[in-house]
Amino acid sequence: MIHDQANYERETEDVREPLLSEKGEATVDVTDDSPLPDDLTRDELTLPSPSEPEIARHYTRLSQMNWAIDSGPYPLGSCTMKYNPKFTEDVAADPNAAVHPDRSERSTQGNLELQYRLQEFLAEIGGMDAVTLQPPAGAAGELTGILVAKAYHEHHGNDRSEVVIPASAHGTNFATAATAGYDVVELPSGDDGRVDVEALEAAVGDDTAALMLTNPNTVGLFERDIAEIADIVHDAGGLLYYDGANLNALLGRGRPGDMGFDVMHYNVHKTFATPHGGGGPGAGPVGVVDELAEFLPAPQVRENENASGYEGFEPERTIGKVHGFTGNWLVLIKAYAYIARLGDEGLADAAAKAVLNANYLAERIDLDVPHGPFHHEFAATAGERDAADVAKRMLDFGVHPPTTKWPEMVPEAMLTEPTEIEGQSSLDDLAEAFDLAYADTDEALDAAPNRTAAGRIDQVSAARNPRLSWQALDGE
């Protein structure tokens, strides 16, 4: 049997990897008395009863049908798909961490202390004065941060209607500003790929509530004029917002707060040890300078009055809750464990290796890589070739391809973030895959991939019309 559930075009009974419910002829009938009303229960349920080896092999095969970070390099630019040490999973799985948040503060002092320490860790890393752990994802952190900035302006009687965002920014920045009720002012990039300072001066004014900026930016370039940029925004009465998506490049080496940023979010899921992608779970804590601290969501955690324990509290002019309790707790535990294990030197070392790896790979490949030098990522251009075709062909050479077609400031972009976890041999394999795919024939690129569980798919239809595979357990 060929196990090939993902390839629907060739799917027959002989080539399909069956669902677990279809495996084996043996089944068991399960009956049980239930306190539920009869119309909400079944009389019986037929479950498959494969052997343990069959179950193990079934799920192992399924896990191998998709490329995963545990299988090899996963250099998606802007997404920080890095291998995260598994000890953090053990820490999060500790039964002592599974404490219901509705229990009294007296009985949850350990959890409160962890939250307090994580707030302090993140404030130190970002150069911020106060941190909330509540937002459940990076985009939720963005919205929280902008709503805090909006509350600050409104409290001070500043009627401001615009948020300035560079054209190269993450798409969520534009959505966040619009969702918060602001008009978006798009800022073009300069010839060097960085913020065009003259264009910024012309864009900001009395209506500017904030500039949302990522540094290093979305092609891995450090905004060298950040001090001048901060002055321009602050002189206009606006706030400087830091998108923490690229914080990996700065860990232990530079702090947004020291650059003049007033508010930021941390993507702790992709910076500090929770696998990223697939829609979550994530966590997007928000840090602010003193002037904005009173507007943060509630609850936050602080030491109690006599410093004998910890307690939750509500900032004086809080914008309210943005998520249940204190956020995605298990993600926060993993972030705490990762930061505590690596320490100052470990975090700084991770940032240095991420930068080194990106620049090594950018030099190693044959494709043209505009701009530079880079921090943790770079955008190569496929030139006259279709970046998506080159990426599909890379799959045939045993690596996951980079992000394609974005940012638009680089034509046929292949945005690559190798992260700090890859060694030289792994980077050389990636470079070889880049070069082999890029130099391949048009026919080979059109047909790629042909060594994967699924061939070339219609990406639009796959997104808009997903085909679900299932079988009713009761045979109906």
Side-chain angles (χ1 to χ4, degrees):
M1 171 182 287
I2 300 172
H3 302 290
D4 199 5
Q5 186 177 6
N7 191 338
Y8 295 114
E9 291 183 358
R10 293 190 294 155
E11 182 178 289
T12 69
E13 289 299 323
D14 293 332
V15 301
R16 182 182 57 171
E17 164 64 15
L19 299 175
L20 185 60
S21 61
E22 300 171 306
K23 290 190 73 69
E25 298 180 355
T27 60
V28 294
D29 293 333
V30 179
T31 59
D32 194 10
D33 294 332
S34 170
L36 296 174
D38 290 344
D39 60 345
L40 297 179
T41 63
R42 315 182 209 200
D43 294 330
E44 60 182 21
L45 181 63
T46 301
L47 296 174
S49 58
S51 66
E52 181 174 318
E54 285 181 303
I55 294 175
R57 291 165 185 167
H58 171 75
Y59 283 111
T60 299
R61 277 196 299 275
L62 290 182
S63 73
Q64 292 169 340
M65 286 179 174
N66 272 328
W67 189 261
I69 194 64
D70 289 354
S71 306
Y74 209 125
L76 280 181
S78 195
C79 283
T80 314
M81 300 290 284
K82 65 181 181 183
Y83 178 88
N84 289 304
K86 297 299 184 273
F87 81 89
T88 59
E89 303 290 338
D90 293 336
V91 173
D94 189 313
N96 292 312
V99 176
H100 196 283
D102 261 345
R103 282 175 46 174
S104 68
E105 289 187 344
R106 182 182 60 81
S107 66
T108 57
Q109 282 295 299
N111 287 15
L112 290 172
E113 181 177 357
L114 188 151
Q115 292 167 43
Y116 175 77
R117 289 188 178 188
L118 182 56
Q119 288 175 184
E120 296 294 294
F121 279 166
L122 294 176
E124 177 65 22
I125 289 169
M128 296 284 125
D129 295 314
V131 169
T132 174
L133 304 177
Q134 204 175 68
E142 280 184 36
L143 182 59
T144 300
I146 287 297
L147 290 177
V148 166
K150 187 174 187 178
Y152 167 84
H153 284 307
E154 290 176 348
H155 175 68
H156 290 283
N158 299 327
D159 183 19
R160 293 171 179 266
S161 59
E162 297 177 348
V163 170
V164 181
I165 305 175
S168 61
H170 297 103
T172 49
N173 289 181
F174 301 92
T176 291
T179 301
Y182 286 111
D183 297 328
V184 174
V185 178
E186 186 171 315
L187 193 67
S189 300
D191 294 337
D192 64 351
R194 296 175 171 83
V195 168
D196 184 327
V197 174
E198 290 187 5
L200 175 65
E201 289 178 321
V204 301
D206 294 341
D207 291 329
T208 302
L211 167 67
M212 298 184 76
L213 190 64
T214 308
N215 195 20
N217 68 16
T218 50
V219 288
L221 301 172
F222 188 81
E223 297 288 355
R224 293 177 297 218
D225 298 320
I226 186 60
E228 185 178 0
I229 292 170
D231 286 343
I232 292 171
V233 175
H234 289 155
D235 288 347
L239 297 171
L240 194 55
Y241 183 95
Y242 182 76
D243 183 324
N246 292 348
L247 186 62
N248 297 58
L250 298 182
L251 289 175
R253 300 193 172 257
R255 306 193 307 172
D258 297 337
M259 301 174 198
F261 287 93
D262 304 293
V263 53
M264 66 176 291
H265 78 269
Y266 308 74
N267 284 14
V268 297
H269 43 285
K270 67 186 204 181
T271 305
F272 304 118
T274 293
H276 177 54
V286 169
V288 296
V289 295
D290 264 337
E291 292 79 359
L292 280 70
E294 61 183 335
F295 304 101
L296 286 175
Q300 283 184 270
V301 178
R302 65 187 175 192
E303 288 187 290
N304 59 24
E305 191 171 349
N306 57 11
S308 62
Y310 301 89
E311 62 183 11
F313 74 101
E314 182 173 308
E316 183 177 0
R317 295 184 173 83
T318 178
I319 62 170
K321 294 178 71 66
V322 297
H323 193 56
F325 301 104
T326 51
N328 280 347
W329 174 231
L330 299 183
V331 177
L332 298 173
I333 289 177
K334 284 183 268 190
Y336 176 84
Y338 183 85
I339 296 169
R341 172 69 73 87
L342 266 66
D344 294 342
E345 292 184 4
L347 294 176
D349 186 55
K353 287 175 179 172
V355 173
L356 176 64
N357 282 358
N359 284 280
Y360 175 81
L361 187 58
E363 286 290 326
R364 179 74 171 71
I365 63 177
D366 292 338
L367 284 72
D368 182 34
V369 185
H371 310 304
F374 305 99
H375 274 65
H376 64 305
E377 63 184 351
F378 63 86
T381 175
E384 299 299 320
R385 316 213 72 172
D386 188 304
D389 288 345
V390 177
K392 299 295 184 189
R393 186 60 173 148
M394 288 179 69
L395 288 165
D396 288 333
F397 298 114
V399 302
H400 194 283
T403 300
T404 59
K405 308 280 189 178
W406 187 83
E408 295 176 355
M409 57 191 286
V410 175
E412 296 300 327
M414 303 188 76
L415 184 60
T416 307
E417 182 180 0
T419 79
E420 77 278 9
I421 64 170
E422 304 298 341
Q424 184 173 350
S425 62
S426 177
L427 296 174
D428 288 340
D429 289 343
L430 266 174
E432 184 178 13
F434 261 107
D435 295 343
L436 288 172
Y438 181 63
D440 218 335
T441 64
D442 291 340
E443 292 75 15
L445 265 58
D446 289 341
N450 52 40
R451 298 174 186 167
T452 54
R456 181 74 69 102
I457 63 173
D458 181 340
Q459 296 182 149
V460 175
S461 295
R464 295 181 177 176
N465 304 298
R467 175 177 174 178
L468 304 179
S469 179
W470 66 286
Q471 182 186 49
L473 292 175
D474 57 6
E476 295 179 355

